[in-house]
Amino acid sequence: MNDQEFILRVTCPDSLGLVAKVSNFLNEQNLFIKDSAHYGDPITKKFFMRVKVVSPNQKINKENFDKTFSVLAEEANMDWSFHNAILKPNTTIFVSKYSHCLQDLLYRASVDSLKINIKSVISNHPDLEKIVSDYEIPFHYIEVTKDNKSEVEMKMSKIIEGDNIDLIILARYMQILSTDFCNKYFGKIINIHHSFLPSFKGAKPYHQAYEKGVKILGATAHYVTSELDEGPIIEQTVDRIDHSKSPEDMEIIGRDIESITLAKAVQYHSEQRIFLNDNKTVIFK
Amino acid sequence: MNDQEFILRVTCPDSLGLVAKVSNFLNEQNLFIKDSAHYGDPITKKFFMRVKVVSPNQKINKENFDKTFSVLAEEANMDWSFHNAILKPNTTIFVSKYSHCLQDLLYRASVDSLKINIKSVISNHPDLEKIVSDYEIPFHYIEVTKDNKSEVEMKMSKIIEGDNIDLIILARYMQILSTDFCNKYFGKIINIHHSFLPSFKGAKPYHQAYEKGVKILGATAHYVTSELDEGPIIEQTVDRIDHSKSPEDMEIIGRDIESITLAKAVQYHSEQRIFLNDNKTVIFK
Amino acid sequence: MNDQEFILRVTCPDSLGLVAKVSNFLNEQNLFIKDSAHYGDPITKKFFMRVKVVSPNQKINKENFDKTFSVLAEEANMDWSFHNAILKPNTTIFVSKYSHCLQDLLYRASVDSLKINIKSVISNHPDLEKIVSDYEIPFHYIEVTKDNKSEVEMKMSKIIEGDNIDLIILARYMQILSTDFCNKYFGKIINIHHSFLPSFKGAKPYHQAYEKGVKILGATAHYVTSELDEGPIIEQTVDRIDHSKSPEDMEIIGRDIESITLAKAVQYHSEQRIFLNDNKTVIFK
Amino acid sequence: MNDQEFILRVTCPDSLGLVAKVSNFLNEQNLFIKDSAHYGDPITKKFFMRVKVVSPNQKINKENFDKTFSVLAEEANMDWSFHNAILKPNTTIFVSKYSHCLQDLLYRASVDSLKINIKSVISNHPDLEKIVSDYEIPFHYIEVTKDNKSEVEMKMSKIIEGDNIDLIILARYMQILSTDFCNKYFGKIINIHHSFLPSFKGAKPYHQAYEKGVKILGATAHYVTSELDEGPIIEQTVDRIDHSKSPEDMEIIGRDIESITLAKAVQYHSEQRIFLNDNKTVIFK
């Protein structure tokens, strides 16, 4: 028996009968639905669908599927993709000096609990090279000064293109990326922000949280847009604190929720569960 | 436009192509899928599906649907139902002396956040009559002694049959029901147990939790079977405690999680989201 | 044996030896420490202490204590109070049309799980009178128009003074109170805001949350100041949501966390656990 | 200014005036209380106190303190200790094949967010040597067969004595330790069990959880006693699951709560926050 699994993803203007149309098509192709989810947004009038299929008796022919499905897709004005479910995105991780998220991602990928293929780590500081090389992954140190930003991003882009990167993870990377860079890789850059967005955007969110006296800390993983800390939210996690915690305590407490929130967001992305819905996300868990 | 919504529920032996078969059938009936979820259990080999449909252009004809779907259902050996989505189950609540869950259910039903039709409250103590009558719902006081158990259950059954009851909620009812009663209404009785089952079955779970020194309290809503506190689990909630809490403190802390857990379980049931899967539940949220 | 318990609360400029000084004083008065907590804020340089004492062999003489402690208090520049631990604050609740928080507070007070003495409920709408009168508590309907605001607040103040009110709870009261009113009762007014402050201040926070696509809903109880939704935060609670929830769904989901958050804040206040620390709170749980 | 901090820990039979007695003593020694917590257990009649002190003007003389405090301690029948607050316990970690808890502990210790001094890792399998040696910590592989158990434990004891070990962490160590070993190091061995104890003791707790159909997974860190999975509970954490999760899914989901629960328990221990209270713990956070 053939146990290949493929994932069909569809986004299109919402209309009646889409679920049946897709299900029917899959059935005709002898592709059996193992898992499926769909959502019609009442405001944006967009339809989203994710289906995991198997073909128990024969190998799935992607080329053939793509050609046949295109006809249906065109009729319904669909954005769509059809990929092997075990496809691991080629990934690069941007870091600065904080190691907790990096360490966590490297470990999860190494034991295959996170299905990403980490091709490189890029940093504006040399500090984290040891951790990365323990995992036998290339570490690129690219110094950032106030004048060489565009040069830096060109170097990054070169690595990204060279490694055929599908996913860029900002694991507490402390530099702001240019609008061009953000736009070029839109939907492919995931950032972890150490607050419960939209509270405490920008610099030093733990200090902001301390000043405000909140009783719960948060972390937010989101796609990066050119507007700082404003991109579509993927995942959020919180932890309880009290008056006795200093910004430095919060920093330490926050590490766990930052790591977990980022790892979950990356997992959803790598499992092709996330759809962009204007400035928001639809996620089928 | 007609905005009637119906819910189709299906349980049957798992096999390939079931999702497409059902989707296709609905499409042929001009019923459009608004919401759907399915699950195939790899161990029990059972398939579960819940679909919410609309028929924008004409009133849904249930009789007609039932007749037509029967053919497909028989082929696939399906247990199934097809009901109006706004159907509220006729409900009776059994209580003793604790009022928090009762109060919570009465309030939620009264503001329509819980879609149940509370026909009566039955108690082995007269204490809670005032609360119930404030909501203008009949209160039946049926005294329980060690000798009159079967007589009591006959009286209960009479009320249940008389009111055409679909759902019996044990809202901290402190009497054990007979095996016959449990079997007769299996799948229709929801109990709240004030522990994180399977820990601390039976009497005085908060005292058991105190003795054990656990750091987290739990509450469990489950369907009732003849084996005490062993029925299929529907929902569980927890709250954090520390060494300083006495069993009496836990009692008070626990009230909130008991009320919320029970209300969620009743909500899932009333929205036809729960399927029995041997001694477990499948719940489509 | 005498089981009276008193609570001593102290706020003063931080300095070394304060804990020992207070403990020592209590010892000399034959008052035994049953429970104590203290905190020195490294930024504001303020010291906070809450001690629960018992006097097993004789009745506690508050007048005598007050006189004797004044001397020590003056030396250390202390704000302080010494009250019977079972003292219930006289409370009034302001509401508009939403009933869930009101209902929850009335119920908790009625079963004595919340130690407040509800003297009245004041509303700018007549809708919730029935719920209040079921608990045999006076309900004051005071209509608010765009022109009679100061007159309304005068009527409110009259009720507040007449009932000797210690605590005003805004249980989803949908009117903005004047700066004068907020200042007059500063530290005595607790509001529930249905967002995770400082996110989503002002009107329609669930709609704001929906627009932003957050993955977690929050509720915040805080002391009221003249700046809208900016007062010292007492308690926050969150619940997880996903893309499929409309603002109306959030409204219903949010009710539980609003009720629980407000009840906890009121409990901490009634148990004399909260200290104001500039624009923040110190809470000894 | 001298910023040395010491922690005084006291356990003794409960009686009136203990807090004042200790506070007073510290004051006389010119030791100022920075942080303090105490608890009198109403059932075991034991008193527990933890005080963090500073001596701003002179170095703390431990020998002198110990001699002077002994007098008071003897009178009140106290078990007590007085240690530098930054004392890191010498620690050994026992593992088998699962790496997540080990990896997490090594990382936290390496960035000093966990204040332990990891002297060695001992394993009955060679698999995890690489991870350990990346951190430049000795890895001892001691094969376990069904016949060499006592020999193995002798080897372990030798390493433990040689390294002057204060704390043994069982980070998913899959062998049962002998009663003698458990007794010898009682109060010094922390285990992580991958269930919400007392549910699902013994082998394969995730399979047990799956069979039972629970809706929440748990992990429990506890001191080890000779009765399997029955020692005093230190910390518990939970995560929500649903019907679709297999035991293998739970295994992966559970890793995060196992790592976090164990790390918290070790932190409380290393910060001298935990007191044994018969078969339970008192923890001052």
Side-chain angles (χ1 to χ4, degrees):
Chain A
M1 184 179 152
N2 174 42
D3 58 0
Q4 255 190 325
E5 296 179 342
F6 269 69
I7 288 167
L8 172 66
R9 288 164 51 92
V10 167
T11 312
C12 64
D14 201 3
S15 72
L16 290 172
L18 285 165
V19 176
K21 237 176 244 168
V22 173
S23 306
N24 215 16
F25 176 88
L26 296 171
N27 201 37
E28 284 165 15
Q29 304 291 316
N30 290 313
L31 293 171
F32 294 107
I33 296 174
K34 208 172 154 185
D35 196 10
S36 73
H38 55 92
Y39 174 66
D41 186 306
I43 306 295
T44 63
K45 307 289 183 203
K46 281 188 189 162
F47 173 83
F48 307 89
M49 190 171 187
R50 178 188 185 269
V51 193
K52 189 189 272 183
V53 295
V54 286
S55 162
N57 303 317
Q58 60 191 92
K59 218 168 158 310
I60 291 175
N61 183 330
K62 178 171 157 52
E63 260 175 69
N64 197 47
F65 181 96
D66 285 0
K67 211 167 63 188
T68 329
F69 192 73
S70 301
V71 184
L72 171 60
E74 202 155 323
E75 276 170 32
N77 202 10
M78 290 177 179
D79 275 339
W80 63 281
S81 68
F82 184 71
H83 288 301
N84 199 314
I86 60 167
L87 193 79
K88 287 184 183 184
N90 287 333
T91 302
T92 186
I93 304 175
F94 288 14
V95 295
S96 292
K97 291 188 166 180
Y98 288 105
S99 60
H100 51 285
C101 288
L102 171 64
Q103 163 64 41
D104 187 68
L105 293 168
L106 290 170
Y107 173 71
R108 287 177 198 264
S110 77
V111 296
D112 217 31
S113 75
L114 202 55
K115 313 287 188 190
I116 56 174
N117 186 14
I118 304 176
K119 304 284 280 186
S120 61
V121 173
I122 298 176
S123 181
N124 60 328
H125 291 285
D127 310 43
L128 304 182
E129 175 151 26
K130 164 82 171 73
I131 291 180
V132 178
S133 59
D134 280 347
Y135 284 93
E136 285 158 35
I137 287 169
F139 178 87
H140 304 280
Y141 165 45
I142 306 179
E143 200 186 10
V144 177
T145 66
K146 68 184 196 331
D147 301 322
N148 74 344
K149 196 160 177 170
S150 71
E151 191 191 329
V152 165
E153 292 193 350
M154 264 184 343
K155 283 187 195 167
M156 287 169 158
S157 282
K158 213 167 154 191
I159 296 168
I160 290 167
E161 309 306 330
D163 283 342
N164 217 353
I165 291 299
D166 305 300
L167 174 63
I168 300 162
I169 304 174
L170 311 189
R172 300 293 309 272
Y173 180 64
M174 307 304 270
Q175 296 288 324
I176 294 175
L177 297 165
S178 74
T179 298
D180 279 358
F181 193 94
C182 293
N183 290 343
K184 186 171 172 190
Y185 299 110
F186 176 62
K188 294 184 170 184
I189 316 178
I190 295 177
N191 181 46
I192 181 72
H193 184 75
H194 44 310
S195 86
F196 190 80
L197 289 174
S199 289
F200 313 135
K201 291 175 211 172
K204 297 202 167 228
Y206 290 134
H207 286 80
Q208 295 182 52
Y210 177 80
E211 287 302 321
K212 184 63 197 165
V214 291
K215 301 300 184 185
I216 290 180
L217 278 187
T220 304
H222 63 97
Y223 285 114
V224 170
T225 60
S226 56
E227 265 187 273
L228 188 66
D229 301 330
E230 282 285 6
I233 293 171
I234 303 170
E235 177 69 348
Q236 302 188 291
T237 317
V238 297
D239 202 0
R240 202 161 271 279
I241 53 165
D242 70 13
H243 59 265
S244 70
K245 302 306 174 205
S246 68
E248 291 70 34
D249 295 332
M250 292 183 191
E251 191 82 50
I252 292 173
I253 294 167
R255 281 177 198 164
D256 286 348
I257 53 175
E258 290 169 35
S259 301
I260 282 176
T261 307
L262 182 56
K264 282 217 170 133
V266 170
Q267 185 200 334
Y268 298 151
H269 183 97
S270 72
E271 294 175 358
Q272 309 182 44
R273 296 181 182 281
I274 314 179
F275 293 75
L276 284 165
N277 183 17
D278 291 0
N279 63 332
K280 304 198 285 185
T281 58
V282 167
I283 305 178
F284 297 124
K285 291 178 193 174
Chain B
M1 182 177 153
N2 173 41
D3 59 359
Q4 256 190 324
E5 296 178 343
F6 268 70
I7 289 168
L8 172 66
R9 287 164 52 92
V10 168
T11 312
C12 63
D14 202 2
S15 71
L16 290 172
L18 285 166
V19 176
K21 236 176 246 171
V22 172
S23 305
N24 217 15
F25 175 89
L26 295 171
N27 201 36
E28 284 166 14
Q29 304 290 317
N30 292 311
L31 294 172
F32 294 106
I33 296 173
K34 209 172 155 186
D35 194 11
S36 73
H38 55 93
Y39 175 66
D41 186 309
I43 306 296
T44 63
K45 307 290 184 201
K46 282 189 190 163
F47 173 82
F48 307 90
M49 189 172 190
R50 177 187 185 270
V51 192
K52 190 189 270 185
V53 295
V54 285
S55 162
N57 302 318
Q58 61 191 95
K59 216 167 159 310
I60 291 176
N61 183 330
K62 177 171 158 52
E63 259 175 67
N64 197 47
F65 181 96
D66 284 0
K67 212 166 63 189
T68 329
F69 192 74
S70 301
V71 184
L72 170 61
E74 202 154 325
E75 276 170 34
N77 201 10
M78 289 175 179
D79 275 339
W80 64 282
S81 67
F82 184 70
H83 289 301
N84 199 314
I86 61 168
L87 193 79
K88 288 185 182 182
N90 288 333
T91 302
T92 187
I93 303 175
F94 288 14
V95 295
S96 292
K97 291 186 167 182
Y98 288 106
S99 60
H100 52 285
C101 288
L102 171 64
Q103 163 64 43
D104 187 68
L105 293 169
L106 289 170
Y107 173 71
R108 287 177 197 264
S110 77
V111 296
D112 217 33
S113 75
L114 201 55
K115 313 287 187 188
I116 56 173
N117 185 14
I118 304 177
K119 304 285 279 187
S120 61
V121 174
I122 298 175
S123 181
N124 60 328
H125 291 285
D127 309 43
L128 304 181
E129 175 152 25
K130 164 81 172 72
I131 291 180
V132 178
S133 58
D134 280 347
Y135 284 93
E136 285 159 34
I137 286 168
F139 179 87
H140 304 281
Y141 165 44
I142 307 180
E143 199 185 12
V144 178
T145 65
K146 68 184 196 334
D147 300 322
N148 73 345
K149 196 160 179 172
S150 71
E151 191 192 330
V152 165
E153 291 192 350
M154 267 186 339
K155 281 186 195 167
M156 288 169 157
S157 282
K158 212 167 155 190
I159 295 168
I160 290 166
E161 309 306 329
D163 283 343
N164 217 353
I165 292 301
D166 304 301
L167 175 61
I168 300 162
I169 304 173
L170 310 190
R172 298 296 308 273
Y173 179 64
M174 306 303 269
Q175 296 287 324
I176 294 174
L177 296 166
S178 73
T179 299
D180 279 359
F181 193 93
C182 293
N183 290 344
K184 186 170 171 190
Y185 299 109
F186 176 62
K188 296 186 169 181
I189 316 179
I190 295 176
N191 181 46
I192 180 72
H193 184 75
H194 43 309
S195 87
F196 190 79
L197 289 174
S199 289
F200 313 135
K201 291 175 210 170
K204 298 201 166 228
Y206 289 134
H207 285 79
Q208 294 181 53
Y210 177 80
E211 288 300 321
K212 184 65 198 164
V214 290
K215 301 300 186 185
I216 290 181
L217 277 187
T220 305
H222 63 97
Y223 286 114
V224 171
T225 60
S226 56
E227 265 188 273
L228 188 65
D229 301 330
E230 282 286 7
I233 292 171
I234 303 170
E235 176 69 349
Q236 301 188 292
T237 318
V238 296
D239 202 0
R240 202 162 270 277
I241 52 165
D242 71 11
H243 60 265
S244 70
K245 303 307 174 202
S246 67
E248 292 69 33
D249 295 332
M250 293 184 191
E251 191 82 49
I252 291 173
I253 293 166
R255 282 178 198 162
D256 286 348
I257 52 174
E258 291 170 34
S259 300
I260 282 176
T261 308
L262 181 56
K264 282 215 172 134
V266 170
Q267 185 200 333
Y268 298 150
H269 183 97
S270 71
E271 294 174 0
Q272 309 182 44
R273 296 182 182 281
I274 315 177
F275 293 74
L276 284 165
N277 183 18
D278 290 2
N279 63 332
K280 305 199 285 186
T281 58
V282 168
I283 304 178
F284 297 123
K285 289 178 195 175
Chain C
M1 184 177 152
N2 174 42
D3 58 0
Q4 257 190 324
E5 296 179 341
F6 268 70
I7 288 168
L8 172 66
R9 287 164 52 92
V10 167
T11 312
C12 64
D14 201 3
S15 72
L16 290 172
L18 284 166
V19 176
K21 237 177 243 168
V22 172
S23 305
N24 218 12
F25 176 89
L26 295 171
N27 201 36
E28 284 165 16
Q29 305 289 318
N30 291 311
L31 294 171
F32 295 105
I33 296 174
K34 207 170 156 186
D35 196 9
S36 72
H38 55 92
Y39 175 65
D41 186 307
I43 306 296
T44 63
K45 307 290 183 200
K46 281 188 191 164
F47 173 83
F48 307 89
M49 188 172 189
R50 178 188 185 269
V51 192
K52 189 189 271 184
V53 295
V54 286
S55 163
N57 302 316
Q58 59 191 94
K59 217 167 160 309
I60 290 176
N61 183 329
K62 177 171 158 50
E63 258 176 68
N64 196 48
F65 181 95
D66 285 0
K67 211 166 65 190
T68 328
F69 192 73
S70 303
V71 183
L72 170 61
E74 200 154 325
E75 276 170 33
N77 201 10
M78 291 176 179
D79 276 339
W80 63 282
S81 68
F82 184 70
H83 289 301
N84 198 315
I86 60 168
L87 194 78
K88 289 184 180 183
N90 287 333
T91 302
T92 187
I93 304 174
F94 288 14
V95 295
S96 292
K97 290 187 167 183
Y98 288 106
S99 60
H100 52 286
C101 287
L102 171 65
Q103 162 65 42
D104 187 67
L105 293 169
L106 289 170
Y107 172 71
R108 287 176 198 263
S110 78
V111 297
D112 217 32
S113 76
L114 201 56
K115 314 287 190 189
I116 56 173
N117 185 15
I118 303 177
K119 304 285 281 187
S120 62
V121 173
I122 298 176
S123 181
N124 59 328
H125 291 284
D127 309 43
L128 304 181
E129 175 153 25
K130 164 82 171 71
I131 291 179
V132 178
S133 59
D134 280 348
Y135 283 93
E136 285 159 34
I137 287 169
F139 179 86
H140 304 281
Y141 164 45
I142 306 180
E143 200 185 10
V144 177
T145 66
K146 66 183 195 334
D147 300 323
N148 73 345
K149 197 161 176 170
S150 71
E151 191 190 330
V152 165
E153 291 193 349
M154 266 187 339
K155 281 187 196 168
M156 287 168 157
S157 282
K158 212 166 154 192
I159 296 168
I160 290 166
E161 309 306 330
D163 282 344
N164 217 353
I165 292 299
D166 304 301
L167 175 61
I168 300 162
I169 304 173
L170 310 189
R172 299 294 309 273
Y173 179 64
M174 306 302 270
Q175 296 288 323
I176 294 175
L177 297 165
S178 73
T179 298
D180 279 357
F181 193 93
C182 293
N183 290 343
K184 185 171 171 190
Y185 299 109
F186 176 62
K188 294 184 171 184
I189 316 179
I190 295 177
N191 181 47
I192 181 72
H193 184 76
H194 43 309
S195 87
F196 189 79
L197 289 174
S199 290
F200 313 135
K201 289 175 211 171
K204 296 201 169 231
Y206 289 134
H207 286 80
Q208 295 182 53
Y210 176 80
E211 288 302 321
K212 185 64 199 164
V214 290
K215 301 299 184 186
I216 290 180
L217 279 187
T220 305
H222 62 97
Y223 286 113
V224 171
T225 60
S226 56
E227 266 189 272
L228 189 65
D229 301 331
E230 282 286 7
I233 292 172
I234 303 169
E235 177 68 349
Q236 302 188 293
T237 318
V238 297
D239 202 0
R240 202 162 271 278
I241 52 165
D242 70 12
H243 59 264
S244 70
K245 302 308 173 202
S246 67
E248 292 69 33
D249 295 333
M250 292 183 192
E251 190 82 49
I252 290 173
I253 294 166
R255 282 178 199 162
D256 286 348
I257 53 175
E258 291 169 33
S259 300
I260 282 176
T261 308
L262 182 56
K264 282 217 173 131
V266 170
Q267 185 199 334
Y268 298 150
H269 183 96
S270 72
E271 294 174 359
Q272 308 182 45
R273 296 181 181 280
I274 315 177
F275 293 74
L276 285 164
N277 182 18
D278 291 0
N279 63 334
K280 304 199 285 185
T281 58
V282 168
I283 305 179
F284 297 123
K285 290 178 193 173
Chain D
M1 184 177 151
N2 173 43
D3 58 0
Q4 255 191 326
E5 297 178 343
F6 269 70
I7 289 168
L8 172 65
R9 289 164 50 94
V10 168
T11 312
C12 64
D14 201 3
S15 71
L16 290 172
L18 285 166
V19 176
K21 239 177 243 169
V22 172
S23 306
N24 215 16
F25 175 88
L26 295 170
N27 201 37
E28 284 166 15
Q29 303 290 317
N30 291 312
L31 294 171
F32 294 106
I33 297 173
K34 209 172 156 185
D35 195 11
S36 72
H38 55 92
Y39 175 66
D41 186 307
I43 307 295
T44 63
K45 306 289 183 203
K46 281 188 191 164
F47 173 83
F48 307 90
M49 189 171 187
R50 178 187 186 271
V51 193
K52 189 189 272 184
V53 295
V54 286
S55 162
N57 303 316
Q58 61 191 93
K59 216 165 161 311
I60 291 176
N61 183 330
K62 178 171 158 50
E63 258 175 69
N64 198 45
F65 181 95
D66 285 0
K67 210 166 65 188
T68 329
F69 192 72
S70 302
V71 183
L72 171 60
E74 200 155 325
E75 275 170 34
N77 201 11
M78 291 175 178
D79 275 339
W80 64 282
S81 68
F82 184 71
H83 289 301
N84 200 314
I86 60 168
L87 192 79
K88 288 185 183 185
N90 287 332
T91 302
T92 187
I93 304 176
F94 288 15
V95 295
S96 293
K97 291 186 167 183
Y98 288 106
S99 59
H100 52 284
C101 287
L102 171 65
Q103 162 64 43
D104 187 68
L105 293 168
L106 289 170
Y107 173 71
R108 287 176 198 264
S110 78
V111 296
D112 217 32
S113 75
L114 201 55
K115 313 287 188 189
I116 56 174
N117 186 15
I118 304 177
K119 304 286 279 187
S120 62
V121 173
I122 299 176
S123 181
N124 60 327
H125 292 283
D127 310 43
L128 305 181
E129 175 151 25
K130 164 82 171 72
I131 291 181
V132 178
S133 59
D134 280 348
Y135 284 93
E136 285 158 35
I137 287 168
F139 178 87
H140 304 280
Y141 165 44
I142 307 180
E143 199 184 13
V144 177
T145 65
K146 68 183 196 330
D147 300 322
N148 74 344
K149 195 160 179 172
S150 71
E151 192 191 329
V152 166
E153 291 192 351
M154 266 185 339
K155 282 187 197 169
M156 287 168 157
S157 282
K158 213 168 153 189
I159 295 168
I160 289 166
E161 309 306 329
D163 282 344
N164 216 352
I165 292 299
D166 304 302
L167 174 63
I168 300 161
I169 303 174
L170 310 189
R172 300 294 308 273
Y173 180 64
M174 306 303 270
Q175 296 288 324
I176 293 174
L177 297 165
S178 73
T179 298
D180 278 359
F181 193 93
C182 293
N183 290 344
K184 187 172 170 189
Y185 299 110
F186 176 61
K188 294 185 170 183
I189 316 178
I190 295 177
N191 181 48
I192 181 70
H193 184 76
H194 43 309
S195 86
F196 190 80
L197 289 175
S199 289
F200 312 135
K201 290 175 211 172
K204 297 200 165 230
Y206 290 134
H207 285 80
Q208 295 182 53
Y210 177 80
E211 288 301 321
K212 184 64 198 166
V214 290
K215 300 300 183 185
I216 291 181
L217 278 187
T220 305
H222 63 96
Y223 286 114
V224 171
T225 60
S226 56
E227 268 188 272
L228 188 66
D229 301 330
E230 281 286 7
I233 293 171
I234 302 170
E235 177 68 348
Q236 302 188 292
T237 317
V238 296
D239 202 0
R240 202 163 271 278
I241 53 164
D242 70 12
H243 59 266
S244 70
K245 302 307 174 203
S246 68
E248 291 69 33
D249 295 333
M250 292 183 193
E251 191 81 49
I252 290 173
I253 294 167
R255 282 178 197 162
D256 286 348
I257 52 173
E258 290 169 35
S259 300
I260 282 177
T261 307
L262 181 56
K264 282 218 172 131
V266 170
Q267 185 199 334
Y268 298 150
H269 183 97
S270 72
E271 294 174 0
Q272 310 181 45
R273 295 181 182 281
I274 314 178
F275 293 74
L276 285 165
N277 183 17
D278 290 1
N279 63 331
K280 304 199 286 185
T281 58
V282 167
I283 305 178
F284 297 124
K285 291 178 193 173

